[in-house]
Amino acid sequence: MTEMPTPRLAADVFQQRLLDWFDRHGRHDLPWQSPRSAYRVWVSEIMLQQTQVTTVIPYFERFMARFPTLEALAAAPQDEVLHLWTGLGYYARARNLHKAAQEALDSHGGQLPTHSVEALTALPGIGRSTAGAIIAQSTGQRAAILDGNVKRSLARLHAVAGWTGKPAVERRLWALADYYTPETRLADYTQAMMDFGATLCKRSTPLCEHCPFNDVCLAYAQGETKRYPESKPKKVLPTRETIMLLLHDRDGRVWLEQRPASGLWGGLWSLPQFDGQERLNDWLADNVVRPERLSPMPCLTHTFSHFRLAITPQPVSCDRLQGVREGGTWYDPAHPPAIGLAAPVKTLINQLAPFSLTSTPGRA
């Protein structure tokens, strides 16, 4: 049985203090709060993973305008889903969102199974905390959450030692989260917990003097708010190198190829990549009519969670490709199609204009 740290307040006192603070200072006008539905809350929760609210809002609004219902999302091509996700990063979230919508359509009558956390977590991309947030905010049923903001707040309040990603530490925090979760006002309480961590008990500069719990917070009493929660042990990220080919024709269109469905940038459209100049030269000789190398563009580094990718962009102009290559398309930056692009690919295409020999906007 998990040993729960001694609560700093009785659950009802904690809830009252938090909700009083939320009523005065919380966020009450977020787009997924009105109208509030399981579908809208779900999409917002997935977008908010690893991403701040201010960044998410315009993406959420565009996404809802195109996919106002779960059925619309399930019926959409993956390319269009990824296109609307371009720039948010962590693209597995979008692929899982799409798969989960299709599973919900096939197995749950087009509705999210909000009757239990277990049913929701059976869908791709929905973890325990996300499931709790969906249920609490859309149905009012009791369900606890433990996202990054809540972990930080509870770890400071109780001076919980250790990195919150460790299973033993996480179990202790889940026990606290469940203890404090009320039976009523679940939507407000859940939003309040997230708002409290995002706007008051912030990672770098917590506003302790305004905190409704500063009289009972152990980290504050110890003068060690920056110690909690403890950071994930750092690892030195390895660096991989690649050459990205910016092949464009005389009309200014850029050649893109679709990545495999799984793995790095899964399902997104990207520039052809090569691990050395020799392979690039061989590919150009085999596939391109009259290639003309242009001056290399500045190198670009893109950081993933487990490595850094050092990109050497090589612009090349050409008359045409030899024959039709499967899995590729000519991309017209002047009239971009609705396809998903990896963030550095979008950046490089936008920088390509000065290197183009000619450009005929609108040419198909």
Side-chain angles (χ1 to χ4, degrees), residues 36 40 68 91 93 96 148 161 197 225 281 314 319 336 357 360:
R36 181 179 273 145
R40 290 171 64 86
Y91 292 95
R93 296 183 296 172
N96 284 331
T225 54
N281 293 340
Q314 177 58 63
D319 285 345
L357 297 179
T360 309

Side-chain angles (χ1 to χ4, degrees), residues 87-273:
L88 271 178
Y90 301 94
Y91 292 95
R93 296 183 296 172
R95 296 194 299 272
N96 284 331
L97 194 74
H98 192 219
K99 291 176 186 175
Q102 293 173 333
E103 288 190 19
L105 190 64
D106 293 341
S107 304
H108 301 286
Q111 302 293 322
L112 290 173
T114 55
H115 58 278
S116 73
V117 168
E118 292 73 22
L120 271 177
T121 55
L123 294 175
I126 300 181
R128 179 180 173 185
S129 183
T130 299
I134 295 169
I135 291 171
Q137 293 187 84
S138 67
T139 73
Q141 300 174 52
R142 187 180 187 277
I145 66 164
L146 191 68
D147 67 358
N149 286 316
V150 180
K151 286 181 178 181
R152 181 169 60 255
S153 302
L154 293 179
R156 282 176 174 161
L157 183 61
H158 301 84
V160 176
W163 173 47
T164 59
K166 289 183 177 180
V169 177
E170 192 170 41
R171 285 194 296 270
R172 299 181 77 196
L173 294 175
W174 267 116
L176 287 168
D178 185 69
Y179 170 79
Y180 287 124
T181 300
E183 299 287 346
T184 60
R185 290 194 68 183
L186 266 300
D188 286 345
Y189 176 84
T190 300
Q191 187 65 54
M193 286 297 291
M194 294 187 285
D195 286 0
F196 178 77
T199 66
L200 198 66
C201 196
K202 298 186 288 186
R203 180 180 291 108
S204 301
T205 55
L207 306 178
C208 298
E209 63 276 15
H210 301 295
C211 177
F213 304 110
N214 59 18
D215 62 323
V216 293
C217 177
L218 287 179
Y220 183 62
Q222 297 168 5
E224 293 189 302
T225 54
K226 291 186 178 180
R227 175 185 169 188
Y228 301 101
E230 294 181 20
S231 300
K232 180 180 180 179
K234 289 186 177 181
K235 294 182 179 179
V236 177
L237 293 179
T239 297
R240 303 178 188 175
E241 297 183 356
T242 190
I243 299 172
M244 281 192 173
L245 172 63
L246 285 100
L247 181 70
H248 60 94
D249 64 11
R250 304 293 172 174
D251 296 323
R253 301 176 302 172
V254 181
W255 181 252
L256 299 181
E257 295 179 347
Q258 192 167 30
R259 303 280 300 182
S262 60
L264 186 67
W265 292 326
L268 297 178
W269 290 82
S270 184
L271 299 162
Q273 290 182 233

